[in-house]
Amino acid sequence: MPAIFPRWTNKIPLAIGVVAPLVGAFLIFAVWYWWSPLYTDMGYRPKQPVEYSHALHAGDMGIDCRYCHNTVEVSPHAAVPPTQTCMNCHSQVQTESPRLALVRSSYETGESIPWVRVHLLPDYAFFDHRPHVAAGVGCATCHGRVDNMVVVEQAEPMSMGWCLDCHRNPEPNLRPLDQVTNMNWDGSPEQAAYDATKDLERKRMPSPPVHCSGCHR
Amino acid sequence: MASKERDPLDPVRGRKLLVEGGPSFHDITEQVCTPVEQPGLAWWLAFLPALGGLTIFGASVFWLLWEGIGVWGLNNPVDWGWAIVDFVFWVGIGHAGTLISAILFLFRQQWRTAVNRSAEAMTIFAVICALMFPTFHTGRPWIVYWMLPIPNQMQMWPNFRSPLLWDVFAVSTYFTVSLLFWYVGLIPDLATMRDRATTKIRRVAYGIFALGWRGSTRHWQHYEKAYLLLAGLATPLVLSVHTIVSFDFAVSQLPGWHTTIFPPYFVAGAIFSGFAMVLTLLIPIRKWYGLEHIITIKHLENMAKIILLTGTLVGYAYAMEFFIAWYSGNPYESFAFVNRAFGPYAWAYWIMISCNVISPQLVWFKKIRRNPVALFILSIFVNIGMWFERFVITVTSLSRDFLPSSWDYYSATMWDVGMLVGSFGLFFTMFCLFIRYLPMIAIAEIKAVMPAANPHPPGDH
């Protein structure tokens, strides 16, 4: 009886032995990287209805974060400023600019500006800004160097594992309470010298929750 | 009949002949391979209804996924209904396959050779059917992979204290080992099919799956060793898998569930129902395909005896549960069992008792255990009874427990029924395909238990 398979098929098991681990490793990498928020969410940069530049306002002009996002210390939700906040200045400054047409019409008609939200957590995760700001977690730690962003983008994955990394070991991400909105703190000599456990201003070290009901209330 | 029926004896060993009628090795190969090579019209008569059942299964799953789990008749006290009943039922069915192929192999029971191939196929298909139910009875089946311990961006891990997680490991391991065991056993027969193939497609297909088997001494040595090891591995699996399934109930604190007798009692029930299913499948098959000289009356009789043994064990467990309910002095426990026998589900309880405890006792009579028709009817009753056993355990305990304010009656909807009927469609579709494409009897093993395979022919010494 003639052979069914040609001689080269003898090499198939060997080839499978070599290729299968590589394919397996590639698949693991593919899922680990391309299906994770590290890849799917980071760098998300939607086009906004008004070409608002954080680099200009927070960076060049040095406006403190809390001037516009004024509820961040007192409310779970850090507010996007209403049109009124814009018009505090822009009723006087750049009053003719075509890029601000939507802001002026919003002010006249009372229609909200349809800002596109960048940092989206699912509604079953209840994030609260207050304890984070109160514990001395800087804005830049989670949101990146917003003062350098012409268009805001998501700087961190905002995944549960990323949250837990800090909740399990918060100390490296803590700074003096008066430096929370300081965008230049990260990488500065002050940061290198700072030890949260020796900070006299700090009444006690934060003990962030790592149980379910901390966030999934 | 005054004269007792006598089984033909092996001329050398003096034991009962396992293959009757004195066929040659070639006859065996022909008889087993013909149904695969020339299936005939009758096969379609079985396959098309099975496909119809599979369609029902698909429709039930589709509607369940589309509309949600509320299409079933579950309510708040009874949140495990037919889906879990069907799961345990199917897992139990699968256990006879491994008992026949592994445990009887370890006990050197040579009569297993005629039935082990189809029993293992039955195991695998039953486990596939079983796995459907824990998957789809979760409210959100698209995240069942969260049950697997995979490193992930949530840094979440399953809770290893839940028997439902052990189920995942138990049943998936059971499936894998059963599949390997079945496949290893198939390799020599696949080589036979390859060598007999008349078309190129068949030659290549069987050739690939035969993995280049040439039947050399070295091949056979390794094969036997691997088979023995797998049998040794599969044996504790049979016992542990259904034990773990029983933990789903026994680990809880519900009266009627929290019982230490469950693990052995569930395993006995699984073997009981599994052997019944083997009989249900093999009695028609041996008739239709003319295999009565390979799957003989003795085989049926032996299986009937195991049914009698395990059925009696199950009956003992029922009695013991009642005894302990009374002996414990716990009002909830006593109530749970009085409720089973005389409560709103008494009809299910008495169906269970008559099918599982009373009907197998008929096997004491030789006339009945050597009568294929009687055994077939009996096996159907056992299957029904064992489905009701799981129903009684699951539903009666849940529907009336500690707080009378949370008592409720559970009745299934058409979608519960659709899932069960459909799972039979899934099972029989796979079983028909097995019969159509693979030898349903282990050719190589059968040849080894025939007198002609004995190295010492009569008169040799």
Side-chain angles (χ1 to χ4, degrees), chain A residues 1 4-5 32 35-37 124 158-162 164-165 168, chain B residues 146 151-156 194-195 200 203-208:
Chain A
M1 202 171 87
I4 303 170
F5 300 104
W32 173 80
W35 288 5
S36 87
Y124 51 76
M158 305 275 156
S159 63
M160 182 166 151
W162 174 81
L164 283 173
D165 279 341
R168 287 175 178 142
Chain B
W146 286 7
N152 57 64
Q153 57 87 12
M154 299 178 288
Q155 299 182 4
M156 289 285 285
R194 170 198 67 194
D195 296 344
K200 176 139 180 123
R203 198 155 48 231
V204 170
Y206 286 118
I208 288 173

Side-chain angles (χ1 to χ4, degrees), chain B residues 29-95:
Chain B
T29 312
E30 285 291 333
Q31 282 151 0
V32 176
C33 292
T34 308
V36 177
E37 287 160 356
Q38 290 140 26
L41 198 65
W43 180 79
W44 288 98
L45 292 180
F47 186 60
L48 290 178
L51 269 188
L54 182 61
T55 316
I56 295 175
F57 186 74
S60 308
V61 169
F62 172 80
W63 186 242
L64 178 77
L65 292 179
W66 182 263
E67 191 67 15
I69 207 149
V71 300
W72 289 347
L74 301 173
N75 51 36
N76 225 348
V78 187
D79 39 21
W80 278 4
W82 277 39
I84 300 299
V85 174
D86 300 342
F87 164 66
V88 184
F89 174 76
W90 279 116
V91 173
I93 294 291
H95 279 60

